[in-house]
Amino acid sequence: MKIAIDSYCFHRYFGEIYPDLEKSPLAKMNLLECVQLCTAFGIEGISIESFMLDSPNQQDIQQLKQLLTQHQLELVWAWGHPSGLYSGQKPDMLQDLYRHIEIAQALGAKVMRICAGGRKTRPQTDWQSHKDALVQLLQQAVLYAEQFDLVLALENHVDFYADEIVDLIQSIDSPYLGICLDTANNLRMLEDPWQAIEKMLPYAKATHIKDVTAYQGDPKNFAFWPSVPAGRGLIPLEKTLKWLAKHDYQGLLAVEIDYLHPDYLQNGTEHQAIQDSIDYLKLLRNIFTTTVRSSINEEDRHYWCRCHG
């Protein structure tokens, strides 16, 4: 497991502002500056939101790849902000997804996070109709990704209940499709967070490690559930990381902060909340990987004793 940042933590610096909830920062940044800033947090990987590299050309891709190589960062390329395939309503978006599969491969990514939709595109129809609109599109995306030996990780993007996204993954049944597990998004859909996470964990190929808390207003609204530093909210991150360590998850643990609780903004920035989250994840990783190794060693010792009397 590698500790990482999802570049969406810095969405405000790219003009992505939640209306009435956030303010624009004093200055903006470009993607190379963002990646350089992320390296200062002591990370081992990064998930990069593709919208932050608008209409990339070959030179842009080469510069980014050089920076990632320089800092030895494992990459997850992230496509689909904010609405991906629009819950199956815009099949023409497949062409853009294909283009980003090629960009991901050029950058050296082994996993690409994708979105089938978002909280604003989830249809009011029954699940079967929603599923039918997506299955064919996702099957085509998977076949294209397979040509590049690239795994697609479908995010639970406040457009799926846990059972629904698992149903999709099982129905397509390909080693080139898994889940980008966002630890908080299903609480925002009023599902029990651990029950939702536990269902999705076996299919995790990437993660957004996000913690949220209850704030004010209506729980059905996004604003009720602001992000907080990892370990300070309602999401069972200890149980999540313990499961991942036990099952030898090899992907990124990517901290993601979207709308940050106002109490955690320091000097108008998210920096301290990000650093606190990374430090917390490193602590948990060290605890659980050591525990797992000790458990395996103990099992080996008992096996040796049985064999050798």
Side-chain angles (χ1 to χ4, degrees):
M1 298 188 292
K2 293 185 177 181
I3 308 300
I5 290 175
D6 188 288
S7 64
Y8 196 75
C9 291
F10 298 100
H11 59 276
R12 295 189 306 128
Y13 300 83
F14 292 82
E16 289 282 321
I17 308 295
Y18 290 101
D20 303 319
L21 298 177
E22 296 180 320
K23 295 180 180 179
S24 296
L26 294 176
K28 293 187 177 182
M29 66 175 80
N30 62 42
L31 181 57
L32 293 181
E33 292 169 339
C34 181
V35 174
Q36 192 68 52
L37 173 60
C38 287
T39 65
F41 291 94
I43 56 172
E44 300 148 345
I46 188 167
S47 175
I48 294 179
E49 297 286 339
S50 60
F51 78 87
M52 294 179 172
L53 190 63
D54 188 39
S55 302
N57 57 39
Q58 193 59 41
Q59 182 178 359
D60 294 330
I61 293 170
Q62 190 59 37
Q63 287 180 327
L64 179 55
K65 186 173 183 179
Q66 288 175 352
L67 187 58
L68 295 170
T69 300
Q70 176 188 343
H71 293 283
Q72 298 181 309
L73 296 177
E74 183 174 325
L75 172 68
V76 167
W77 189 244
W79 174 87
H81 174 82
S83 300
L85 298 170
Y86 287 78
S87 299
Q89 301 166 50
K90 292 191 177 182
D92 55 303
M93 290 300 294
L94 266 181
Q95 296 305 313
D96 193 57
L97 194 161
Y98 294 162
R99 182 170 70 93
H100 280 277
I101 286 173
E102 295 175 16
I103 292 171
Q105 194 265 348
L107 287 168
K110 298 299 183 185
V111 176
M112 184 170 99
R113 174 278 231 156
I114 64 171
C115 297
R119 59 191 173 91
K120 294 181 179 180
T121 68
R122 178 178 167 84
Q124 299 302 310
T125 57
D126 62 286
W127 165 239
Q128 190 61 50
S129 299
H130 185 182
K131 177 182 174 183
D132 289 346
L134 284 172
V135 165
Q136 185 177 3
L137 300 181
L138 290 172
Q139 285 175 331
Q140 292 177 64
V142 167
L143 287 173
Y144 197 79
E146 186 174 355
Q147 298 176 58
F148 297 87
D149 197 25
L150 182 74
V151 173
L152 302 181
L154 179 64
E155 183 179 350
N156 51 312
H157 203 223
V158 201
D159 54 336
F160 296 124
Y161 290 108
D163 286 336
E164 293 172 348
I165 191 169
V166 169
D167 184 19
L168 264 182
I169 300 301
Q170 290 179 340
S171 297
I172 294 171
D173 190 25
S174 168
Y176 288 91
L177 181 66
I179 291 176
C180 176
L181 171 63
D182 186 299
T183 54
N185 278 347
N186 283 67
L187 175 56
R188 288 169 166 165
M189 297 179 75
L190 307 183
E191 287 196 285
D192 178 278
W194 174 244
Q195 289 182 11
I197 290 169
E198 191 174 29
K199 291 174 182 178
M200 292 183 282
L201 274 171
Y203 307 95
K205 301 297 182 181
T207 65
H208 285 168
I209 304 296
K210 184 190 297 170
D211 209 347
V212 299
T213 193
Y215 186 34
Q216 60 186 13
D218 184 349
K220 295 179 181 179
N221 292 336
F222 176 79
F224 185 85
W225 303 105
S227 296
V228 295
R232 300 188 194 178
L234 300 172
I235 304 303
L237 295 181
E238 288 192 30
K239 290 167 72 173
T240 301
L241 264 68
K242 186 176 182 179
W243 191 101
L244 290 170
K246 182 178 179 181
H247 292 82
D248 197 30
Y249 170 73
Q250 296 293 312
L252 299 187
L253 300 174
V255 170
E256 187 190 39
I257 289 173
D258 41 36
Y259 157 50
L260 181 61
H261 193 298
D263 288 353
Y264 292 97
L265 276 171
Q266 301 214 355
N267 300 319
T269 78
E270 303 81 357
H271 293 26
Q272 192 59 53
I274 294 169
Q275 188 66 68
D276 290 347
S277 297
I278 288 169
D279 292 345
Y280 177 75
L281 294 187
K282 286 182 177 179
L283 176 64
L284 289 186
R285 181 183 64 178
N286 291 342
I287 291 171
F288 292 135
T289 53
T290 300
T291 301
V292 168
R293 274 193 233 105
S294 298
S295 174
I296 291 171
N297 290 340
E298 186 66 13
E299 290 176 5
D300 288 345
R301 188 181 71 82
H302 285 305
Y303 177 77
W304 189 91
C305 290
R306 288 197 302 273
C307 290
H308 297 277

